[in-house]
């Protein structure tokens, strides 16, 4: 079975080295060639030898676990993801046939000497195109970890043939979105306001008027008093299969005051050009939430949605029809 892994490049610092050099790499135990390692147990004494300051068994176990994943669990044919320095993008490639491990000299500008040979694809993937669970997985603080949403990733790169054989044709996202589309425009805007509050926004309120084409809701995110971000939201119900165009995204951008950011939340999806406009340099950033991502957020925060809306949507925990 083809698995999917994420190998970080020091917050994107060495992503270009990975891609240009045809490898993914880690940096622990740089003085030792690990090509002869065949088990996780063999790594413990070597790690302790090279990292004498790490005395916590928890820390040692976590680090050795990541090294073992990189050396022993990642297999030829598996896919590897690494975030770009611009975290909006993900590079991906396929691990080359064994032996793919290389103990490198580290003289190419990347200090990580333990490497697996990877054939990186030319196309990048936009992080925001994926489901909220997959985006959250990529945020893991670990350097090497498995991506549990493998079927979603494989479908995104055109490899549904490699997805789990147990995958079914049932589409729970569509079922939920059909229920959401039963709301009228105002109800949908109010639901989004409740969702903003559930996400941690303070003072969330619905400010739009049906059909005005402008800002429908606002909220301020206070990150532990370190930063405050005012977000101006457009919430629009569109039929399934439709795509929001660039003009609609630009219209929201014009309504965002200096220092604010935007968010567009819809039951549909976005044209590729609209996604580019949302991140255009020199303008307020606009986060785009499509229908599937909206469902992910509802699942994650369903218990925070008022009971009246839960009943109105006709759904129960797990977002299945009652």
């Amino acid at each position: 079975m083809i698995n999917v892994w994420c190998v970080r490049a020091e917050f994107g610092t060495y992503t270009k080295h990975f891609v240009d050099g045809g490898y993914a790499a880690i940096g622990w135990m740089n003085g030792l060639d690990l090509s002869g390692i065949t088990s996780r147990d063999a790594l413990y004494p070597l790690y302790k030898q090279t990292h004498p300051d790490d005395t916590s068994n928890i820390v040692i176990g976590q680090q050795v676990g990541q090294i073992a994943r990189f050396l022993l669990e990642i297999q030829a044919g598996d896919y590897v993801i690494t975030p770009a320095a611009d975290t909006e993008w993900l590079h991906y490639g396929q691990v080359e046939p064994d032996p793919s491990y290389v103990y490198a000299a580290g003289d190419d500008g990347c200090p990580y000497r333990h490497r697996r040979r990877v054939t990186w694809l030319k196309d990048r993937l936009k992080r925001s195109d994926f489901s909220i669970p997959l985006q959250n997985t990529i945020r893991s603080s670990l350097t090497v970890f498995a991506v549990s949403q493998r079927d979603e990733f494989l479908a995104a790169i055109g490899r549904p043939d490699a997805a789990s054989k147990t995958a079914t044709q049932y589409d729970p996202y569509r079922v939920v979105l059909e229920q959401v589309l039963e709301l009228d425009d105002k109800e949908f805007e109010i639901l989004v306001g409740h969702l903003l509050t559930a996400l941690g926004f303070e003072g969330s309120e619905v400010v739009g008027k049906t059909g005005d084409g402008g800002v429908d809701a606002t909220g301020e995110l206070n990150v532990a008093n370190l930063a405050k971000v005012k977000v101006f939201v457009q919430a629009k119900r569109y039929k399934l299969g439709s795509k929001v165009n660039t003009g609609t995204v630009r219209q929201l951008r014009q309504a965002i005051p200096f220092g604010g950011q935007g968010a567009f939340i819809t039951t549909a999806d976005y044209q590729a050009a609209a996604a580019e406009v949302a991140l255009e340099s020199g303008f307020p950033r606009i986060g785009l939430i499509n229908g599937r991502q909206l469902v992910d957020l509802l699942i994650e925060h369903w218990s925070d949605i008022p009971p009246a809306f839960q009943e109105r949507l006709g759904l129960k925990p797990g977002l299945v029809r009652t």
Side-chain angles (χ1 to χ4, degrees), residues 173-206:
Y173 286 93
R174 186 179 185 88
V175 170
V176 175
L177 288 172
E178 287 174 346
Q179 294 298 101
V180 172
L181 286 170
E182 293 295 319
L183 303 176
D184 63 31
D185 288 342
K186 196 63 179 180
E187 288 174 329
F188 182 63
E189 291 171 8
I190 294 172
L191 175 63
V192 168
H194 288 308
L195 191 54
L196 290 176
T197 299
L199 287 167
F201 285 86
E202 300 175 357
S204 300
E205 71 175 315
V206 175

Side-chain angles (χ1 to χ4, degrees), residues 19 79 90-94 118-124 157:
V19 174
Y79 283 95
L90 303 171
H91 293 271
Y92 72 99
Q94 198 163 20
V118 174
T119 300
W120 295 99
L121 281 298
K122 292 182 179 179
D123 294 333
R124 298 180 300 173
I157 65 170

Side-chain angles (χ1 to χ4, degrees), residues 92-103:
Y92 72 99
Q94 198 163 20
V95 180
E96 295 184 7
D98 290 329
S100 68
Y101 171 82
V102 176
Y103 183 60

Side-chain angles (χ1 to χ4, degrees), residues 1 110 138 210 276 310 320:
M1 183 175 71
C110 176
I138 297 298
T210 301
E276 293 174 2
Q310 294 179 358
V320 296

